[in-house]
Amino acid sequence: MPFASVNGQQLCFEDTGGDGPVVVFSHGNLMNRQMWVPQVEALRGEFRCVVWDERLHGRTKDDGALYTYWDSADDLLGLLDHLGVERATLVGHSQGGFLSLRAALRAPDRIKALVLIDTAAVAWPQEALTQMSGVSEGFRTGGPDAVAPAVLGMLLGKPEIHQDWLRTWQEQPQDRLADAVAVLMGVDDISARLGEITQPALIVHGQVDQPVPLPLGQMLRDRLPGASELIVVPGAGHTPSLTHPDQVNGPLSAFLRHSA
């Protein structure tokens, strides 16, 4: 598995290679690069697809410290440097969207377009922070089995894949999982800066997403100057690219062919 030395971390990534436009996929909290398998399989050959594990996730070898999504944005830009890529389209799910938005603010000339899946530009309300605090402490003291019954359903909503992701969590140290959720809790509000992000943007959102409700996706559609449309995936929860790939890949492919 290749690693990129970026900002003092060793970022695990995979690159399909080829001469097509570069698309970088950034995963959501408690997920990893494997969540993008349905999209990479659909797009490889036509596009150069890059997936990576963010800090405190997957096989990335990080320093274990807490970080911000501005740090993650810098990690992504550093990964582009490592790959020798000047400009790319960014596809981000949830926290992957948080860092993609910040990368567009940090280095607008390097971002061709954005695809934002079940993500937001605001900080969490107190109710959500209280819930996340309980999840973080549950990971720290009881491990994945202590939080799986509630969290897997909320994040994935597709019981047949729950066990695969539970095993992924079980392979991680409990404190690492807890700290990943702690980082999520600290996201800052950038909604006032959305007007600065002028790249073409596609917004995709699960109709019944609980962690990031649909109105937050509608906010992105309304406030991003380059947002073309909002794709609402009927019956999908927080992770439609994984649970409803057939309904996501068509609009995603069409957007990338037009904008990437």
Side-chain angles (χ1 to χ4, degrees):
M1 196 65 61
F3 290 86
S5 181
V6 175
N7 297 325
Q9 323 299 316
Q10 297 295 315
L11 304 179
C12 179
F13 72 95
E14 295 179 64
D15 179 0
T16 62
D19 298 326
V22 178
V23 182
V24 181
F25 295 83
S26 301
H27 61 77
N29 193 256
L30 298 175
M31 308 297 284
N32 60 37
R33 69 192 187 285
Q34 295 299 323
M35 73 166 287
W36 298 112
V37 167
Q39 285 67 53
V40 172
E41 288 303 309
L43 298 170
R44 66 165 60 244
E46 186 174 0
F47 298 92
R48 179 182 174 185
C49 299
V50 177
V51 296
W52 64 298
D53 290 336
E54 297 147 33
R55 299 192 203 189
L56 298 178
H57 291 81
R59 295 189 180 181
T60 279
K61 302 172 184 177
D62 50 73
D63 57 17
L66 299 185
Y67 59 94
T68 71
Y69 291 115
W70 293 100
D71 296 327
S72 289
D74 290 338
D75 288 347
L76 186 152
L77 295 169
L79 179 60
L80 292 183
D81 291 340
H82 175 85
L83 296 171
V85 172
E86 183 60 32
R87 300 181 72 219
T89 293
L90 307 184
V91 180
H93 166 253
S94 195
Q95 78 169 15
F98 300 166
L99 70 90
S100 296
L101 286 166
R102 287 159 179 78
L105 288 169
R106 188 83 91 193
D109 57 320
R110 304 197 65 183
I111 311 305
K112 284 186 179 181
L114 292 164
V115 180
L116 303 168
I117 303 175
D118 290 70
T119 195
V122 299
W124 302 105
Q126 187 55 51
E127 180 181 358
L129 289 173
T130 299
Q131 184 180 44
M132 291 179 197
S133 180
V135 171
S136 179
E137 187 60 23
F139 273 126
R140 200 175 304 279
T141 59
D145 292 336
V147 303
V151 177
L152 283 169
M154 181 173 61
L155 292 183
L156 300 176
K158 190 175 182 181
E160 54 266 39
I161 64 174
H162 286 188
Q163 281 302 119
D164 291 340
W165 287 97
L166 176 58
R167 283 192 291 271
T168 297
W169 293 352
Q170 290 169 337
E171 294 170 357
Q172 296 288 327
Q174 292 177 197
D175 285 345
R176 196 172 198 235
L177 295 164
D179 288 342
V181 177
V183 168
L184 181 67
M185 294 171 63
V187 66
D188 57 325
D189 188 327
I190 59 168
S191 58
R193 299 190 63 187
L194 289 177
E196 300 174 37
I197 301 173
T198 59
Q199 293 90 342
L202 174 67
I203 316 302
V204 179
H205 219 95
Q207 181 186 31
V208 292
D209 187 347
Q210 296 179 49
V212 182
L214 179 57
L216 295 178
Q218 293 169 331
M219 175 193 288
L220 294 176
R221 187 267 319 274
D222 294 342
R223 297 195 188 181
L224 287 170
S228 57
E229 62 180 318
L230 167 63
I231 303 295
V232 178
V233 183
H238 186 58
T239 319
S241 54
L242 187 58
T243 60
H244 296 67
D246 291 342
Q247 297 178 55
V248 172
N249 289 351
L252 172 63
S253 299
F255 175 79
L256 292 177
R257 289 179 188 126
H258 183 263
S259 301

